[in-house]
Amino acid sequence: MSMKKLLACLLALMMALALVACGGDTAGDDANVDDQSPAVEDDANTGAGAGTPLETMTFVEVPEYIVGSRWEFCGGFVNMVFIVSSMLSGACATPEFIMYMSHFLELEYGKDYFENADKVVDLSSRQRTIDKVITDCFEQIVYSINQPTGARNFQSVFWNISYYDQYYFESIFGDFYFPDGTKPSWPAVSWLQKRFMRWFNQERTKTVLTFPVETMALLTKDGDVIDKEYADFTAQMYSEGHSFFTYMSDNADSLASCCRLRNEIQDNGFSYTLGAGGVSTGSKSVLTININRCVQQATREGRSYVEYLDGIVDLVHKVQMAYNANLEDLLKKGMLPLFDAGYINIKRQYLTIGVNGIVEAAESLGMTISDNEEYATFVGNILGLVEHYNKKYRTKDLLFNCEMIPAENVGVKHARWDREDGYYVPRDCYNSYFYVVEDTNTDVIEKFRLHGRKYIEHLTGGSALHMNLDEHLSQPQYRQLLRVAAKEGCNYFTFNIPNTLCKDCGHIDKRFLKECPHCGSKNVDYLTRIIGYLKRVSNFSLDRQKEASRRFYAHVQK
């Protein structure tokens, strides 16, 4: 298939290289597992994407007047995401979505389109402005991708995007050129990503829109965000009730997307697996270790938990290498079209070692789950061991990382299996955090510290802090918490305030309420995150509904 045809039929030259395959994402971190092994779980054998080679597919040539237009971008982008997602079991992150959309808008309306957003450009009776044309494009893309698809068992595509502050954007795309020789315009991209965030926040008051999962990437220095404009804007969007993730780093060698994971851009061994910024990367396999079972089994046998885990971790790495060898064989035989087409670079894909049940393991040893030296040493011993083997088996063609998986389903399975086998199980769903989610004594600052550099330094595949609050804070309060996160080294987090959905009139309110402010009905449901993505609590699995009811939502005085 020619590059010209790829441009006309899918999106644009190079957009293909922006899509990320994310094994082990919220696309069901255990969507592909069976109930066989309670100690080690294969969460998401990536969907590396076996199937029909793309070059053998028949594409319809697009009329010349459409090529290079926003219509080509919108339709081609949606088609591309659906085609690629049909070959994946994980999520798809499109880190350059806003940047490319801005490029197509510039081609159609000029480089200063964002400065003339109120200009009428529609000669029909609708008399649409540039801004209305843009929001119509937003609607076309977002509502299309949120539809269920038969190729994914009638689930919608798990789609993720990123926003950047100016320093992050220039670090990653400063030397980037579009196929026509032009460079991205930061003022245009900045305006467009802010416009999308505001639009999406308001759109979520009209209907339940789970995707995209959004991540704001901010560069930090000396305990604060460098780009003060974007720090203030991020805090403002949180205060207006928007639900998105923030990723912070003191260098632009990695970037996060989706719900927790980091992508490496430089070769320093640090990588969020789920994409957005680390172009054409992701995780090709996630194999998760049940830490609670391993630690308790070591105690049963009278052995050190580090000694016991050493053998388990080594074995898991060997299994991952065997999986990788099989993947390489499939690639040589032309059975992985997404790799062949350049959507994913196999040399930038990670073999991910997942961990679950760390909190429960520490509790089984009688430890207090708080920011204390005993607990910090315990976490460091376990995650440091995994990192040791990640480095031992790493080669220039074989990359490993370690991730605290979200465990939407695995957390429940591990608890059930361990209880059946007589292990200590303090709750029906294992935590996906370094603190106890139902604990009322761990305050907001300590949670940032528990997900700070002291605890996450070995988590090269990432983790996410979900700061559960009972109401939205003010802009200055959120701005201060961004400073706290930067100071503590908490690099990936979101604020989770349940939204209220009235079952009678359908009204959606960004606040956590007991009755509908529109019709007064007490027949309400709530929108919150299972772990990564926003959905109705009533649509959680029964086990996850029980877990959600136990969550503690902290109150912060304004």
Side-chain angles (χ1 to χ4, degrees):
M1 180 172 57
S2 68
M3 194 60 71
K4 179 180 178 182
K5 184 178 289 187
L6 181 62
L7 169 64
C9 300
L10 292 180
L11 178 56
L13 180 63
M14 297 299 291
M15 189 61 186
L17 301 180
L19 201 66
V20 181
C22 309
D25 186 21
T26 52
D29 54 46
D30 26 58
N32 298 328
V33 301
D34 53 28
D35 288 9
Q36 294 179 355
S37 174
V40 178
E41 187 114 2
D42 186 0
D43 290 308
N45 267 338
T46 176
T52 305
L54 294 181
E55 63 268 18
T56 67
M57 296 181 181
T58 301
F59 292 90
V60 178
E61 290 285 2
V62 176
E64 186 175 350
Y65 71 88
I66 292 180
V67 176
S69 72
R70 69 182 185 281
W71 298 115
E72 182 203 14
F73 175 83
C74 294
F77 179 80
V78 171
N79 288 339
M80 182 192 70
V81 170
F82 275 115
I83 288 172
V84 174
S85 296
S86 69
M87 304 179 189
L88 296 173
S89 63
C92 291
T94 53
E96 300 159 334
F97 163 63
I98 298 291
M99 184 180 76
Y100 269 95
M101 184 174 183
S102 181
H103 175 65
F104 278 87
L105 289 168
E106 287 182 29
L107 291 177
E108 191 158 359
Y109 298 115
K111 293 185 178 297
D112 61 349
Y113 75 88
F114 61 97
E115 296 176 340
N116 300 290
D118 295 332
K119 180 180 177 181
V120 176
V121 293
D122 189 345
L123 299 180
S124 72
S125 60
R126 297 178 64 188
Q127 293 287 287
R128 293 185 301 168
T129 63
I130 290 178
D131 186 73
K132 183 64 172 76
V133 169
I134 290 172
T135 57
D136 283 352
C137 289
F138 293 162
E139 287 183 9
Q140 178 185 353
I141 293 171
V142 170
Y143 279 85
S144 295
I145 293 180
N146 272 275
Q147 300 303 316
T149 170
R152 293 176 66 90
N153 196 30
F154 295 98
Q155 290 183 319
S156 60
V157 173
F158 290 70
W159 174 42
N160 310 280
I161 65 172
S162 286
Y163 312 114
Y164 312 88
D165 69 15
Q166 183 174 359
Y167 297 96
Y168 237 117
F169 184 83
E170 292 177 349
S171 294
I172 296 174
F173 301 113
D175 297 323
F176 178 85
Y177 288 85
F178 291 107
D180 63 3
T182 62
K183 297 186 69 172
S185 166
W186 166 249
V189 172
S190 177
W191 181 90
L192 190 61
Q193 63 185 12
K194 288 180 178 180
R195 186 69 184 93
F196 184 87
M197 285 190 80
R198 292 189 177 105
W199 171 83
F200 194 43
N201 187 35
Q202 290 302 310
E203 206 68 15
R204 277 180 162 171
T205 64
K206 302 175 183 178
T207 189
V208 180
L209 292 170
T210 299
F211 301 105
V213 175
E214 309 153 273
T215 295
M216 173 65 77
L218 303 173
L219 207 60
T220 61
K221 182 180 180 181
D222 299 329
D224 199 4
V225 179
I226 299 174
D227 190 332
K228 300 300 189 290
E229 175 192 347
Y230 260 83
D232 292 343
F233 174 73
T234 300
Q236 183 63 38
M237 291 306 301
Y238 276 129
S239 70
E240 293 176 8
H242 197 24
S243 180
F244 60 98
F245 285 88
T246 294
Y247 175 68
M248 289 182 166
S249 178
D250 57 7
N251 59 74
D253 64 354
S254 58
L255 187 66
S257 75
C258 308
C259 311
R260 64 205 179 277
L261 297 181
R262 301 167 72 147
N263 283 326
E264 176 184 27
I265 295 174
Q266 296 179 358
D267 185 18
N268 65 350
F270 212 81
S271 57
Y272 260 142
T273 319
L274 290 186
V279 179
S280 68
T281 184
S283 178
K284 47 192 168 185
S285 175
V286 181
L287 204 58
T288 297
I289 301 172
N290 181 348
I291 301 299
N292 187 35
R293 172 177 283 250
C294 291
V295 168
Q296 291 191 53
Q297 185 60 33
T299 301
R300 286 183 178 184
E301 297 177 12
R303 299 167 59 186
S304 160
Y305 67 83
V306 175
E307 175 195 354
Y308 184 87
L309 276 168
D310 188 275
I312 297 292
V313 173
D314 187 34
L315 176 62
V316 167
H317 279 78
K318 291 174 180 176
V319 172
Q320 287 284 51
M321 288 189 291
Y323 172 83
N324 188 73
N326 182 62
L327 200 63
E328 293 278 4
D329 187 55
L330 292 174
L331 183 63
K332 291 177 182 178
K333 294 178 179 178
M335 299 177 68
L336 301 176
L338 294 183
F339 289 98
D340 293 335
Y343 284 83
I344 311 169
N345 184 344
I346 195 169
K347 294 186 183 298
R348 298 185 67 185
Q349 288 271 299
Y350 287 82
L351 295 167
T352 298
I353 311 302
V355 292
N356 181 236
I358 288 180
V359 162
E360 289 72 21
E363 288 176 315
S364 75
L365 296 176
M367 294 183 190
T368 299
I369 308 303
S370 66
D371 178 32
N372 63 77
E373 285 306 313
E374 181 185 34
Y375 181 52
T377 300
F378 174 76
V379 171
N381 287 343
I382 292 173
L383 300 182
L385 179 64
V386 177
E387 185 178 23
H388 165 74
Y389 278 100
N390 284 350
K391 292 179 178 179
K392 177 181 178 179
Y393 288 113
R394 177 175 176 147
T395 68
K396 64 182 180 66
D397 297 322
L398 199 60
L399 304 176
F400 291 90
N401 60 15
C402 178
E403 170 204 343
M404 178 179 278
I405 66 162
E408 285 94 340
N409 297 316
V410 168
V412 174
K413 291 179 180 179
H414 281 169
R416 185 177 74 246
W417 290 334
D418 288 352
R419 181 173 286 116
E420 289 172 354
D421 290 342
Y423 293 100
Y424 169 74
V425 178
R427 58 191 56 83
D428 295 334
C429 177
Y430 286 174
N431 273 265
S432 296
Y433 313 102
F434 287 112
Y435 60 90
V436 178
V437 72
E438 65 267 22
D439 182 21
T440 61
N441 296 316
T442 307
D443 63 30
V444 170
I445 303 301
E446 187 174 15
K447 287 178 181 178
F448 273 108
R449 194 169 294 130
L450 284 166
H451 275 261
R453 63 178 60 86
K454 181 165 65 173
Y455 293 86
I456 69 171
E457 62 174 330
H458 300 300
L459 270 181
T460 51
S463 66
L465 166 63
H466 289 68
M467 185 61 70
N468 294 330
L469 303 175
D470 65 354
E471 63 178 336
H472 294 284
L473 306 180
S474 66
Q475 193 273 351
Q477 286 178 307
Y478 279 121
R479 183 66 182 86
Q480 178 60 25
L481 288 178
L482 294 183
R483 296 186 185 96
V484 170
K487 179 181 178 181
E488 297 295 340
C490 177
N491 56 22
Y492 203 57
F493 57 90
T494 187
F495 297 97
N496 199 29
I497 296 89
N499 293 185
T500 304
L501 171 64
C502 181
K503 294 182 179 180
D504 291 332
C505 73
H507 178 77
I508 299 175
D509 195 286
K510 294 285 185 177
R511 296 168 296 175
F512 189 12
L513 305 173
K514 300 300 182 183
E515 65 179 47
C516 175
H518 185 258
C519 71
S521 173
K522 289 183 170 54
N523 184 24
V524 297
D525 198 357
Y526 296 102
L527 304 174
T528 190
R529 295 182 183 277
I530 302 179
I531 291 294
Y533 52 93
L534 197 68
K535 63 186 294 185
R536 295 173 64 149
V537 173
S538 61
N539 288 341
F540 287 15
S541 68
L542 291 178
D543 290 308
R544 272 295 176 182
Q545 288 186 44
K546 293 177 182 177
E547 182 272 325
S549 68
R550 294 192 298 270
R551 295 178 185 178
F552 172 65
Y553 291 89
H555 180 75
V556 178
Q557 293 292 336
K558 290 189 176 181

